[in-house]
Amino acid sequence: MESSAVTSASARVVTTPAEMHRVADEIRAAGLTIGFVPTMGYLHDGHLQLLRKARELADVVILSIFVNPTQFSANEDLGAYPRDFERDKALAEAEGTQIIYNPSPESMYPEGFQTQVNLPGMTNVLCGVSRPHHFPGVAQVCAKLFNAVKPHFAVFGLKDFQQYLVVTQMVKDLDMDLKVVGIPIVREKDGLAMSSRNVYMTPAEREQAVVLNQSIKLAEKAVAEGERDAARLLDLVRGHIATAPAADIDYVEIRSIPGLATVEGRIEKPVLLAMAVKFGKARLLDNTVLLREQPNANV
Ligand code: PAF
């Protein structure tokens, strides 16, 4: 089956919500499924994996590139956030992406915009403590993107595990008709989780940032050897991260899945070990699911 919205070899760039609605309606009317990868651009291999997954799942792949102002607070890196649309477009096309949704902030948030989306129990913890604007902004923009793109599947990287859980809960709560798919973290050769923000690090900071993945491996090994005490696991992880002089820990926590409640005492079922650690200007995230039944399984 074909749709005139997706016949060209180069990706079609859509720049307004109204046009995105029309294109999505046309694709659905042709009986085709839509796989959606929302991003803020500056694509790396992790994003390309998400595009590959979307392509596997659906007939038409739509990538959004939108640096969403509402998920940044005034003192954060919105202006400095790395951008390179032409490079992103070429990379996305090489992965078979048919449509790039690249709206302007004005078309997304015109004067008079009001609607907020919040899930307080999940957005005020972990990254939400130091970045209170972040997840309400993410939930708001994802709701808008999902409404315009009308995807059957939306693919998210699990490096932002809290984001994945927040979006999944929002989709459930608001009866949105799509499936949220999580893809395991994509790592550099030395184990550092890929992130658009890795470019902010100096070479010395970049070298030391490997402690994050090393600390995760130490926790996984301890659990495999029978350790179940949450406090001892956290001490092990924090202690290893502290061996890197450049590391400035924002949080290292163990939380329940999917509700993100605090976990104390013995861990008995799969839990999230999550961390945010600053290395100079880069605030890096990493995580793992401890006591996971199937290693590397999509959540
Ligand atoms: O993960 C991201 O890049 C962003 O938070 C997202 C999901 C595209 C929303 O702006």
Side-chain angles (χ1 to χ4, degrees), residues 38-40 66 68 71 134 138 141-142 156 160 163:
T39 76
M40 299 205 297
F66 178 63
N68 174 39
Q71 67 192 73
H134 182 67
V138 168
V141 78
C142 286
F156 285 80
D160 299 298
Q163 169 170 278

Side-chain angles (χ1 to χ4, degrees), residues 206-277:
R206 168 66 189 80
E207 213 171 288
Q208 292 176 40
V210 294
V211 293
L212 300 189
N213 185 232
Q214 288 169 352
S215 74
I216 280 175
K217 285 193 174 145
L218 285 176
E220 286 172 341
K221 183 165 177 282
V223 168
E225 289 168 0
E227 181 63 85
R228 293 291 180 274
D229 185 76
R232 276 201 297 269
L233 286 164
L234 289 172
D235 282 349
L236 180 70
V237 171
R238 289 187 185 123
H240 186 73
I241 295 171
T243 62
D248 176 9
I249 295 180
D250 179 351
Y251 66 80
V252 176
E253 291 191 38
I254 294 180
R255 293 262 166 180
S256 69
I257 300 170
L260 296 178
T262 318
V263 173
E264 279 161 3
R266 271 183 74 77
I267 58 171
E268 310 278 6
K269 53 185 179 189
V271 288
L272 176 67
L273 165 63
M275 59 190 67
V277 180

Side-chain angles (χ1 to χ4, degrees), residues 90-166:
L91 287 169
E93 282 169 346
E95 294 301 332
T97 303
Q98 292 104 322
I99 293 166
I100 299 178
Y101 181 34
N102 181 223
S104 64
E106 296 72 31
S107 70
M108 289 291 274
Y109 301 110
E111 220 177 296
F113 187 93
Q114 287 284 330
T115 303
Q116 308 289 320
V117 183
N118 201 2
L119 300 77
M122 298 177 79
T123 59
N124 293 344
V125 300
L126 300 177
C127 286
V129 174
S130 64
R131 305 187 70 200
H133 287 71
H134 182 67
F135 291 111
V138 168
Q140 179 187 53
V141 78
C142 286
K144 285 176 66 66
L145 293 168
F146 293 165
N147 279 338
V149 172
K150 309 181 206 287
H152 296 80
F153 303 96
V155 187
F156 285 80
L158 292 180
K159 178 174 70 64
D160 299 298
F161 205 100
Q162 185 174 9
Q163 169 170 278
Y164 164 79
L165 292 178
V166 165

